[in-house]
Amino acid sequence: MKTITLEDHVLTSRADYSAQQLKPYIENLKIELIRKEVGTDSQVMDLHEDTITTFGGIYEALKSRFMEGEKKLPATRAAFMRAYMSYVASEAILGQEEPDGPVLSETLEPRRPYRTVNISFGETDSRTLTDIVKQYSDMAGNCVEERHARKSRSNFFTAVSETCKEKLSEPGNKKLYEAFQELEVQGRINGGSFSVRGISGKRKIAVAGPKQEAVKHRKGLEQVMFENVYESEIFGNNAAIELVKTEVSCLMYYDPSERRNPWDGFKQYLLLVGKPGTGKTMLSHFAATYAKEIEGATGKVVNIVGLDFEDRFQYGPLDNIRAQLKQVSYNNQIYLVVIDELETKIPSREAQENHKSDVAGEFLRFRGQGGYINRGNYIILGTTNEPHKLDSAVLDVFEVAGVEGPKTAKEKVSVLYKRLETGLKEGSVKVQDWQSIADLLIKHDLSGREIKNVADSSLALRRILAGRMKGYSLTASEVEQRRELIFKSDGMPYTATVDYVIHAIEGVVQKREEKTKSYLR
């Protein structure tokens, strides 16, 4: 069995490096302890800061030993090594409480009841490290006495160790597990103040209670799928367009190397308010498209994400919003966070159920930087049809932009023309009298969404060709070419004329009236 020794100078240099990389979490913890009247020179703060830098130093030293200079590892093996590095670092921390040093084969059962931790092993080395440190920082912020702090630290890193062992002994890791000697870590890992023995055995999985189960299934941020929408496609809503362009431009100046944004004071909370169908969702897609265009030009990565708090567990929404907001706050990345129908996601604090009203309170703490860091690396972009349902304090956080949609005849016709553009080009839509259409759009004050429905109805006639062309084996391009030839030669039975478009407008208006009547019954 081989022994690997991490030299003191390596551990010290990697601990110093980690202290810089993890500084936001350390500073945030200090702020939280100060708020609870625990001085930054106290033994409690020293314990927590030393724990974070020691854990990070050991993790980074192992990373240098096993992974740097290697060709890109297969995903399964990389995840396995992250779990092992996390295991060794957590056992080293526990060894400070257990002078004889921990031995994995002798601790297959949990040392004591422990909380569940959420660790991602399948993404990057830094993600695994920050997952653990963030959760430790959250826990440590509630420890104001040294005795409590040490006990909580021991429980926490026991949980980390057990989670890592569970990952290492997964069925999918069987070959790696059996070939552990090839990774040169079946013996001991020795450092200046710790010694950790390699893996030899499988852990019996403890049964989690309801609260632990809720934490285990805590939701993180989710990537938002969006359609590319460009400024040339939006008619009306000029003030909202300018607001989005200005603030998203400022957001994209965030500098990950210096961890700050030079445009301090830019508006990070934007709320698009308007009736259904006025273009709020389209504007949020425009914001995402605009940010991605800057990403393409600069190489700066922007994450387009959504907040999703709903959960089957009673306190799940509060746990979820905390986890998601901390991910935005702590990560050294750029985020455009989209919250559609904000009034349904962040309910008023007057809600009957406390855990739901706490969601609004947590959002306000995020805005007020209570326990969160704001380096100017995010924008929260919300939409709502019913701003009166929002908590007044939450509403005050946002820069509100009214979204009315296209209002003039020119704007409304431009929306319809853009939506019919494909049909106009191929000949499936033929309109000479745009004035009569404009008059009807103004008369009935059709919204952007209703105009889109008019266009969809007008283009429906061409789809009759799908069953008559019998071109199922053709490529998409070949179908388009054949369809265009049909419209040039004998396509009138499938062509939407001005009368057909007017009929489509009347159909949309009728549906609106029927919907209104159903509400009044």
Side-chain angles (χ1 to χ4, degrees):
M1 296 177 71
K2 300 181 181 180
T3 297
I4 293 174
T5 300
L6 302 176
E7 301 294 341
D8 286 348
H9 69 90
V10 174
L11 289 169
T12 300
S13 66
R14 302 317 292 174
D16 290 341
Y17 171 79
S18 293
Q20 291 300 313
Q21 295 299 308
L22 302 172
K23 186 176 180 180
Y25 310 111
I26 296 171
E27 293 300 319
N28 183 64
L29 181 55
K30 287 181 179 179
I31 292 169
E32 185 66 12
L33 290 176
I34 290 172
R35 189 174 68 83
K36 294 181 177 177
E37 301 181 349
V38 179
T40 55
D41 60 342
S42 72
Q43 290 179 319
V44 172
M45 187 60 231
D46 290 343
L47 172 70
H48 291 320
E49 185 170 2
D50 180 64
T51 298
I52 290 172
T53 55
T54 299
F55 183 93
I58 295 170
Y59 184 95
E60 291 291 343
L62 289 167
K63 176 183 170 183
S64 298
R65 173 65 179 80
F66 294 126
M67 301 181 78
E68 288 185 3
E70 293 278 337
K71 293 181 179 179
K72 185 176 181 181
L73 294 176
T76 303
R77 183 161 176 166
F80 186 88
M81 289 308 303
R82 291 175 194 125
Y84 187 77
M85 295 187 297
S86 302
Y87 161 72
V88 172
S90 61
E91 289 292 328
I93 297 296
L94 291 168
Q96 295 176 358
E97 305 291 334
E98 304 168 16
D100 294 335
V103 178
L104 178 57
S105 60
E106 297 169 3
T107 59
L108 298 184
E109 294 292 335
R111 296 175 176 86
R112 56 182 66 85
Y114 63 90
R115 53 175 278 189
T116 302
V117 290
N118 232 354
I119 309 173
S120 172
F121 298 109
E123 296 188 26
T124 63
D125 304 330
S126 61
R127 171 66 188 273
T128 300
L129 177 59
T130 55
D131 273 358
I132 295 169
V133 171
K134 280 191 295 184
Q135 291 171 83
Y136 177 78
S137 178
D138 292 344
M139 178 277 298
N142 296 313
C143 303
V144 297
E145 296 179 359
E146 184 178 5
R147 182 182 176 187
H148 179 212
R150 287 188 179 279
K151 183 177 179 181
S152 296
R153 181 180 77 157
S154 179
N155 285 342
F156 177 84
F157 282 104
T158 296
V160 174
S161 175
E162 299 295 332
T163 301
C164 293
K165 285 188 282 184
E166 186 175 340
K167 174 66 179 177
L168 292 167
S169 58
E170 285 180 350
N173 287 328
K174 184 177 180 181
K175 290 184 178 179
L176 285 171
Y177 196 91
E178 292 173 348
F180 211 46
Q181 192 168 9
E182 293 179 16
L183 301 176
E184 301 184 324
V185 289
Q186 191 172 337
R188 280 188 176 273
I189 306 288
N190 290 336
S193 60
F194 68 89
S195 180
V196 179
R197 184 177 296 176
I199 288 181
S200 58
K202 294 187 178 182
R203 170 187 177 275
K204 294 180 181 179
I205 300 173
V207 178
K211 191 170 182 180
Q212 291 173 320
E213 195 68 20
V215 175
K216 183 178 179 181
H217 293 286
R218 182 180 293 154
K219 296 179 181 177
L221 292 168
E222 296 184 354
Q223 295 291 322
V224 171
M225 303 300 293
F226 64 94
E227 296 179 6
N228 286 331
V229 174
Y230 301 95
E231 186 176 356
S232 61
E233 298 176 57
I234 304 173
F235 302 95
N237 299 327
N238 294 329
I241 291 172
E242 288 306 311
L243 176 67
V244 166
K245 287 173 61 180
T246 298
E247 306 312 328
V248 169
S249 294
C250 290
L251 170 67
M252 295 303 292
Y253 274 91
Y254 177 73
D255 182 357
S257 64
E258 295 187 12
R259 294 175 178 264
R260 66 187 185 92
N261 194 315
W263 295 99
D264 55 311
F266 77 97
K267 294 177 174 59
Q268 292 180 257
Y269 296 81
L270 310 178
L271 183 61
L272 305 175
V273 177
K275 296 178 181 178
T278 52
K280 299 182 298 299
T281 300
M282 193 174 188
L283 279 164
S284 67
H285 287 194
F286 166 65
T289 305
Y290 190 71
K292 283 295 184 180
E293 283 187 311
I294 298 174
E295 175 187 280
T298 64
K300 284 187 175 181
V301 176
V302 58
N303 299 283
I304 314 297
V305 297
L307 298 185
D308 181 12
F309 315 141
E310 291 306 310
D311 202 288
R312 61 191 175 93
F313 297 99
Q314 181 181 10
Y315 293 95
L318 182 57
D319 282 343
N320 288 338
I321 190 175
R322 282 176 176 165
Q324 292 169 23
L325 293 179
K326 283 176 180 176
Q327 189 174 340
V328 171
S329 174
Y330 294 166
N331 282 0
N332 187 28
Q333 299 177 31
I334 300 173
Y335 289 96
L336 176 61
V337 184
V338 180
I339 313 178
D340 200 20
E341 297 182 344
L342 183 66
E343 75 281 358
T344 66
K345 305 293 175 53
I346 304 181
S348 169
R349 287 174 295 175
E350 296 176 1
Q352 295 293 316
E353 298 154 290
N354 290 337
H355 62 281
K356 288 187 176 180
S357 65
D358 286 346
V359 168
E362 192 66 27
F363 181 79
L364 291 172
R365 282 189 285 277
F366 177 73
R367 174 62 179 89
Q369 300 178 36
Y372 294 93
I373 302 167
N374 183 355
R375 296 188 296 264
N377 65 316
Y378 65 82
I379 279 179
I380 307 289
L381 176 62
T383 70
T384 181
N385 302 330
E386 301 174 295
H388 59 279
K389 289 187 177 180
L390 286 169
D391 190 287
S392 58
V394 171
L395 186 59
D396 287 344
V397 164
F398 286 90
E399 179 73 16
V400 176
V403 179
E404 295 184 323
K407 300 302 292 181
T408 68
K410 182 179 179 181
E411 289 171 348
K412 291 180 184 292
V413 168
S414 295
V415 171
L416 182 59
Y417 187 92
K418 190 73 178 178
R419 292 288 182 179
L420 293 175
E421 195 167 24
T422 300
L424 290 165
K425 285 182 178 178
E426 72 178 4
S428 60
V429 178
K430 293 182 179 179
V431 176
Q432 287 78 33
D433 184 8
W434 287 99
Q435 185 58 55
S436 60
I437 291 174
D439 292 341
L440 279 175
L441 295 177
I442 288 292
K443 176 183 176 181
H444 297 292
D445 194 22
L446 266 62
S447 68
R449 181 182 298 171
E450 288 173 327
I451 295 173
K452 175 185 178 297
N453 291 341
V454 169
D456 291 343
S457 296
S458 301
L459 291 170
L461 195 57
R462 69 206 279 263
R463 294 201 295 273
I464 297 174
L465 274 176
R468 299 182 180 179
M469 284 177 60
K470 306 297 183 185
Y472 304 111
S473 60
L474 300 176
T475 66
S477 297
E478 289 171 341
V479 170
E480 289 170 344
Q481 291 170 3
R482 180 179 291 186
R483 190 173 63 202
E484 189 172 345
L485 287 173
I486 291 173
F487 283 119
K488 285 181 178 179
S489 58
D490 186 26
M492 281 309 294
Y494 320 107
T495 301
T497 61
V498 64
D499 291 337
Y500 196 92
V501 175
I502 289 173
H503 178 72
I505 293 173
E506 292 170 346
V508 167
V509 172
Q510 184 178 354
K511 284 184 180 179
R512 181 212 289 172
E513 291 174 348
E514 290 172 352
K515 189 175 181 181
T516 302
K517 288 178 182 177
S518 68
Y519 286 140
L520 296 175
R521 285 172 187 165

